[in-house]
Amino acid sequence: MHEFSIAVNMVDIALEYAEKSNAARVNEIELEIGELSGVVDDAMEFAMEAAIKGTLLENAKVKIVKIPGLANCRSCGNEFKIENFFDPCAKCGAYNPDIISGKELRVKSLNID
Ligand SMILES: [Zn+2]
């Protein structure tokens, strides 16, 4: 399961930060998930719940922020919303746009005590 290894990785990053900051616990973890990352929300929430068990993040609220896919056309410079990597430019129909956002998979913030 793709989401589970991502969740474990996110929790590792959060734990490393929390330990460095001498946190007693983590109240909230906020994740940024790009719409082009291929991650399924429900699966991600489920995976996070499993990944935080028995860690400093055990009771943390998991907040997932979705980042919409945005691309810039290399042919005409048009900026447009993209739902998958192979979408053509909405204006001129060219393929292989530059992806501006939507690939994010990261820990955005932590609320610690
Ligand atoms: Zn274009």
Side-chain angles (χ1 to χ4, degrees):
M1 193 169 129
H2 182 53
E3 282 79 4
F4 193 73
S5 58
I6 295 168
V8 167
N9 190 19
M10 299 273 205
V11 171
D12 277 350
I13 292 166
L15 282 174
E16 196 179 308
Y17 178 82
E19 275 161 25
K20 265 189 209 152
S21 314
N22 289 318
R25 66 197 162 113
V26 178
N27 300 317
E28 186 183 275
I29 175 169
E30 193 175 6
L31 309 178
E32 276 188 340
I33 308 283
E35 280 177 1
L36 300 173
S37 64
V39 166
V40 178
D41 291 2
D42 286 355
M44 191 64 203
E45 276 169 32
F46 181 78
M48 281 301 290
E49 261 175 51
I52 63 178
K53 273 221 174 83
T55 74
L56 266 182
L57 278 78
E58 174 116 43
N59 297 309
K61 186 172 177 274
V62 177
K63 206 170 145 194
I64 294 179
V65 179
K66 297 289 281 193
I67 309 292
L70 265 185
N72 201 312
C73 178
R74 291 186 221 257
S75 302
C76 73
N78 179 37
E79 194 176 300
F80 61 102
K81 273 202 71 162
I82 190 166
E83 270 159 30
N84 65 67
F85 288 110
F86 309 108
D87 282 351
C89 171
K91 200 167 158 190
C92 76
Y95 285 88
N96 91 359
D98 250 339
I99 307 294
I100 301 169
S101 71
K103 293 192 285 189
E104 295 79 359
L105 276 177
R106 62 176 174 230
V107 178
K108 192 188 176 207
S109 66
L110 284 179
N111 181 321
I112 57 177
D113 273 341

